[in-house]
Amino acid sequence: MTGPDALEAALRPRLPSPLEEIADGRFARHGVRLLLKRDDLIHPELVGNKWRKLAPNLAAADGRPLVTFGGAYSNHLRATAAAGRLLGVPTIGVVRGEELAGRPLNPSLARCAADGMRLRFVDRTTYRRKAEPEVLRAVLRAADAEEAYVVPEGGSNAPAVRGCRALGEELRGRADVVGIACGTGGTLAGLAAGLGPGQRALGTPVLRGGFLGDEIRRLQDLAFGGPRGDWSLDERFHCGGYARTTPELDAFAQDFEDRHGLAVERLYVAKLLYGLFALAAEGAFEAGTSVAAVITA
Ligand SMILES: *Cc1c(COP(=O)(O)O)cnc(C)c1O
């Protein structure tokens, strides 16, 4: 059995995650408080904020092997592999990029393999079409995983989004604005649904393209049957796209680490903090506002 209680007993997540205020003159001078919601501390091995999205899927899989999808550096694959090892659930990772097969694994994929994840590499065209039923069936057949429980790329499906509502609920009454970096948008979709009256969620997409608003509406439809909560996106802080960076972003993240003694994850968290500091500098937060940044890794 892998009900929610059994999962909690096996994985012992630290929930609710801590909320810490930090002192930074760049917020204080506008009369704005800055808090860090430390989702990075939920579990030492489930990288990123992935606990909240994975736990409901692990429960739904109920012991069946789990198949999921990701790029060669996916935090979601890493987290799924770790959860599989901790729970004794077989995991299969479908990785974008046929050319990776037969090459030495990068550290992220090596970690997945060490956690017992079976890796299948597929070409980019197949990978792009993996949500189409025909293509998915063929991928599962080739992986010898036709009975497996399928979790989509990035882990954002209806159970995952509903799981992320708890992040908002933990923050009720604790901050006016909650900032979060977005990949698939699933965490924001759930977070916004869990917040209380007068609170709003602000997402900073790390991918370029401007498609994420529609995707978040789709995910909320799927998970809740309609729109939920007050949320918006600021698309200015992707710094060139996924895993891209700029000298300004690097300098900002390094300086933040020096000032606050907190390691800043570069794919998501750096871009969120960079965006929130830029907004504070623009005077986007009224005096008296409290802003919570979700530290997802
Ligand atoms: C996956 C991830 C996110 C984004 O989550 P989505 O639900 O895909 O938007 C944010 N931060 C970190 C560190 C992550 O690993």
Side-chain angles (χ1 to χ4, degrees):
M1 241 332 270
T2 34
D5 295 346
L7 286 174
E8 296 239 344
L11 297 176
R12 299 177 189 234
R14 182 171 174 191
L15 290 172
S17 65
L19 183 66
E20 300 166 351
E21 180 158 4
I22 62 167
D24 195 301
R26 293 167 290 178
F27 274 72
R29 85 167 65 101
H30 298 277
V32 179
R33 293 170 62 210
L34 177 61
L35 306 151
L36 305 181
K37 175 66 171 162
R38 298 291 307 272
D39 265 20
D40 59 312
L41 300 179
I42 292 177
H43 195 281
E45 289 190 81
L46 299 188
V47 216
N49 61 332
K50 299 300 185 274
W51 159 266
R52 297 186 190 274
K53 299 205 302 189
L54 263 174
N57 278 297
L58 288 161
D62 198 17
R64 275 181 292 165
L66 221 77
V67 175
T68 193
F69 304 84
Y73 290 93
S74 164
N75 279 345
H76 165 65
L77 283 186
R78 285 265 310 278
T80 305
R85 173 173 57 74
L86 292 164
L87 295 168
V89 174
T91 60
I92 299 142
V94 179
V95 185
R96 177 179 57 231
E98 209 173 23
E99 73 282 1
L100 300 171
R103 285 204 213 152
L105 299 175
N106 72 35
S108 186
L109 291 176
R111 189 66 246 162
C112 291
D115 279 337
M117 177 173 264
R118 221 156 29 91
L119 299 173
R120 302 282 313 187
F121 297 92
V122 302
D123 66 83
R124 281 155 206 274
T125 310
T126 306
Y127 191 88
R128 204 175 315 115
R129 297 177 53 198
K130 63 192 174 305
E132 297 172 25
E134 291 285 283
V135 178
L136 178 61
R137 258 198 304 278
V139 168
L140 294 181
R141 205 178 311 120
D144 203 14
E146 282 160 293
E147 304 303 314
Y149 179 89
V150 177
V151 178
E153 177 178 37
S156 289
N157 55 8
V161 171
R162 287 193 291 264
C164 290
R165 214 169 18 189
L167 170 57
E169 288 162 358
E170 288 174 22
L171 286 163
R172 280 203 187 165
R174 312 286 300 271
D176 303 303
V177 180
V178 181
I180 180 135
C182 301
T184 63
T187 308
L188 172 62
L191 157 68
L195 290 174
Q199 294 182 291
R200 66 185 176 93
L202 169 64
T204 56
V206 304
L207 293 106
R208 47 190 303 160
F211 57 87
L212 204 63
D214 286 342
E215 180 57 14
I216 291 166
R217 280 182 279 278
R218 187 187 73 81
L219 287 169
Q220 288 200 330
D221 266 348
L222 203 66
F224 310 119
R228 290 288 184 282
D230 181 358
W231 60 269
S232 61
L233 298 175
D234 193 321
E235 305 261 3
R236 291 178 295 164
F237 306 115
H238 57 68
C239 301
Y242 187 72
R244 300 293 173 86
T245 185
T246 61
E248 293 75 27
L249 178 67
D250 286 336
F252 167 82
Q254 185 60 55
D255 175 66
F256 188 94
E257 291 183 341
D258 295 344
R259 287 182 197 229
H260 297 295
L262 177 76
V264 175
E265 186 266 354
R266 292 300 201 269
L267 297 181
Y268 291 93
V269 177
K271 292 178 184 180
L272 168 67
L273 292 172
Y274 182 69
L276 292 178
F277 277 78
L279 285 163
E282 288 171 5
F285 305 121
E286 261 179 61
T289 304
S290 53
V291 177
V294 183
I295 305 303
T296 40

